[in-house]
Amino acid sequence: MVMVTGGAYQGKTAYAMRKFGLAENDVADGSAASREALKNARCISNYQELVRRLGDDSIAFTEELCRCNRKAVVIMDEIGCGIVPVDKSERVWRENVGRCGCIIAANSDTVVRMVCGIPAVIKGDKGDKS
């Protein structure tokens, strides 16, 4: 498993597509794709939106995904920085995204953080910066 994370609009999807030779139809959008589609997808984008859709079930689904789709590239926005939301549901979502991110990172061979379009490998092969 590979995790690509970073702030919104940092080039995560473009990097993943280029780096891992993915076509547009290889990328399942977490904001809309079914659970079954995600379990078989080569790449999952917008994982933070999947967490929003699944709510409290997101932790269990993430653990299951890590067991059944070990070759997936998972793209997730970092949303834990900045001001803590006033709305309780937004705080719960933010916490669930963080927990799911920890599960995915722990199960990934490689974790890449994108900043301004520049990939920084924070887990895995540090010799490959492309």
Side-chain angles (χ1 to χ4, degrees):
M1 186 168 265
V2 174
M3 179 181 191
V4 181
T5 190
Y9 309 106
Q10 297 298 305
K12 297 180 297 292
T13 302
Y15 165 79
M17 291 179 74
R18 183 178 63 251
K19 175 71 178 167
F20 302 105
L22 301 168
E24 284 191 34
N25 63 347
D26 292 326
V27 182
D29 189 337
S31 66
S34 71
R35 291 178 187 221
E36 288 308 309
L38 296 170
K39 289 179 186 177
N40 297 303
R42 287 187 62 200
C43 180
I44 303 166
S45 66
N46 294 313
Y47 201 88
Q48 74 283 350
E49 295 304 324
L50 172 67
V51 173
R52 185 187 302 274
R53 284 193 309 140
L54 297 181
D56 289 336
D57 193 32
S58 60
I59 306 294
F61 178 80
T62 299
E63 290 170 341
E64 181 182 359
L65 179 72
C66 289
R67 285 189 301 272
C68 71
N69 194 351
R70 297 281 314 142
K71 295 186 180 187
V73 176
V74 179
I75 303 168
M76 175 189 282
D77 283 359
E78 279 183 8
I79 63 161
C81 300
I83 297 170
V84 176
V86 174
D87 184 75
K88 182 178 180 182
S89 66
E90 289 294 305
R91 288 193 309 270
V92 169
W93 169 61
R94 180 174 159 156
E95 184 174 319
N96 285 340
V97 169
R99 289 176 189 216
C100 289
C102 289
I103 293 166
I104 294 166
N107 284 279
S108 292
D109 297 319
T110 304
V111 178
V112 178
R113 183 166 188 260
M114 295 293 293
V115 180
C116 298
I118 300 170
V121 178
I122 58 176
K123 179 180 178 183
D125 184 6
K126 304 265 190 244
D128 185 8
K129 302 286 184 188
S130 60

